[in-house]
Amino acid sequence: MMEPLPEISALPFDVDRVRRDFAVLEREIHGHRLCYLDNAATSQRPKAVVDAIVQSLTWSNANIHRAIHTLGYEATVAYEEAHKKVARFINAKSWREIVFVRNATEALNLVAGSWGLANLRAGDEVVLTIMEHHSDIVPWQLLAARLGFVIKFIPVTADAVLDVDAAARLITPKTKLVGVVHASNVLGAINPVADLREMARKAGAKFLLDGAQSVPHMAVDVRALDCDFFAASGHKMCGPTGIGFLYAKKELLEAMPPFLSGGDMIATVTTEGSTWNELPWKFEAGTSAVAEGIGLGAAVDYLSTLGMNNLFSYEKELGAYVLEKLRALDYVTLYGHKRGESLAVFSFNVTGAHPHDGANLLDRLGIAVRSGHHCAQPLMNALGMDNTLRASFYFYNTKEEANRLIHALGELRKLFAR
Ligand code: C6P
């Protein structure tokens, strides 16, 4: 079974010790030590997570909820335990409020395709923010085209934070759902979710948080947040790809119709009709991503052992360091980070250099960053740009790596100023 990590959360955060859990950080890329700054796209996985997956695939591989045999029992118990770990990690009232899905995208599609389809109609309004990732826009657009409801967007202010005054005007008794990205994958901004939740509550609307970027970096308490839905991906929080979760309040999940259907999500099937399995299995149709789910459980154990508050403080200090260095470069245009709290996620452009050329040059120097629109085109349009470079830090990154990034941007500027 899974080997617990030694308890280190009581100790000061030791980045050198933590980095040893990630073998890939020793890799050389084009003759340079890897400097991985693409964590908002996907994080690296520590050895404990890889070991848990290998253990599951090697020694306890079986389908779940179907077999009486020992392997089936072990896989079932471990997979259910992973739900319990995630529930504890985000302080859900019950593990039955945790539905495992493929990723945050699927979690958001589940909310639209099940709750949205059952509850929205022409004349209703869904209010989203202009900062949403495409995965919290497109499912609502597809549904709106079928049902005829209206989607409204909360804009950003001139300094690229959510316009809370505009939100107060946009959220009305017609609003049936308010969907907010907890932390922006482009700007790093941590949004004022308590204010928006209060507006949603007053309007009688459901409140959905896209936590894909927040839950890897900060302590999340869904009961304190009092959100109705919370979506996340395992691969951004040290877990494997192919697994994510949707948290939803039990009474909502109980009332919602199934999203995907087939094996495992049913209680009974006759030629006349079917009845549904208990939560969360009602929403987990077909053979589950068992090893991936167990890997997500191991990721949550790993992060919990480090301590989310330790990790957040470390990243905050690192982020402040990076911000100061980036602001000192007059050839860098940085988006966001003007007010409010932010994650160590920085989108910027270097004068004269296309972001894709920039990302290419940085890769030659061993530095992995993302370039492009970051699947947030409405936000990019609102900020008047098409593409940016994005450096996104995680708890295993260091100030020395930040210095390498800053130096590389200087090289980039020299190359493209010619
Ligand atoms: N953002 C990025 O590079 P999936 O792809 O389903 O695991 O996650 C979707 C998603 C949803 N919400 C937010 C806020 C996100 O940042 C993401 C994924 C990655 O920014 C890939 S586009």
Side-chain angles (χ1 to χ4, degrees), residues 38 40-41 103-106 108 133 135 181 183-185 210 212-213 233 235-236 370 374-375 390:
D38 196 16
N103 45 39
T105 301
E106 190 170 296
L108 294 162
H133 186 276
S135 60
V181 65
S184 162
N185 65 320
D210 173 356
Q213 296 294 344
S233 288
H235 67 93
K236 294 186 200 286
R370 184 174 168 184
H374 313 299
C375 305
R390 184 188 66 187

Side-chain angles (χ1 to χ4, degrees), residues 141-258:
Q141 289 175 333
L142 286 173
L143 195 62
R146 286 169 69 185
L147 302 182
F149 62 84
V150 170
I151 304 174
K152 294 190 166 168
F153 288 92
I154 303 169
V156 284
T157 62
D159 48 7
V161 295
L162 273 191
D163 187 337
V164 179
D165 294 337
R169 288 191 297 276
L170 288 166
I171 300 170
T172 70
K174 283 187 176 175
T175 311
K176 293 294 174 291
L177 177 128
V178 177
V180 178
V181 65
H182 196 180
S184 162
N185 65 320
V186 177
L187 304 170
I190 301 171
N191 284 320
V193 292
D195 294 348
L196 296 164
R197 180 203 58 227
E198 283 317 298
M199 292 176 201
R201 290 280 170 256
K202 244 195 245 160
K206 296 288 175 262
F207 187 60
L208 175 152
L209 283 177
D210 173 356
Q213 296 294 344
S214 63
V215 73
H217 301 279
M218 53 200 268
V220 163
D221 179 336
V222 287
R223 276 192 265 181
L225 288 167
D226 190 24
C227 51
D228 295 298
F229 302 105
F230 187 96
S233 288
H235 67 93
K236 294 186 200 286
M237 51 192 288
C238 293
T241 50
I243 195 82
F245 66 89
L246 173 71
Y247 156 84
K249 287 182 176 163
K250 201 167 166 199
E251 54 277 18
L252 284 170
L253 287 175
E254 272 163 356
M256 281 158 56

Side-chain angles (χ1 to χ4, degrees), residues 326-361:
L326 281 174
R327 278 187 178 146
L329 305 179
D330 61 3
Y331 50 84
V332 165
T333 306
L334 175 68
Y335 301 96
H337 292 271
K338 293 196 179 77
R339 74 180 156 96
E341 209 172 7
S342 298
L343 300 175
V345 173
F346 302 94
S347 283
F348 54 89
N349 278 314
V350 172
T351 309
H354 190 281
H356 291 330
D357 293 330
N360 208 1
L361 180 94

Side-chain angles (χ1 to χ4, degrees), residues 106-128:
E106 190 170 296
L108 294 162
N109 273 271
L110 194 166
V111 179
S114 170
W115 179 87
L117 187 59
N119 290 284
L120 297 172
R121 48 194 54 83
D124 290 342
E125 294 181 357
V126 163
V127 175
L128 305 173

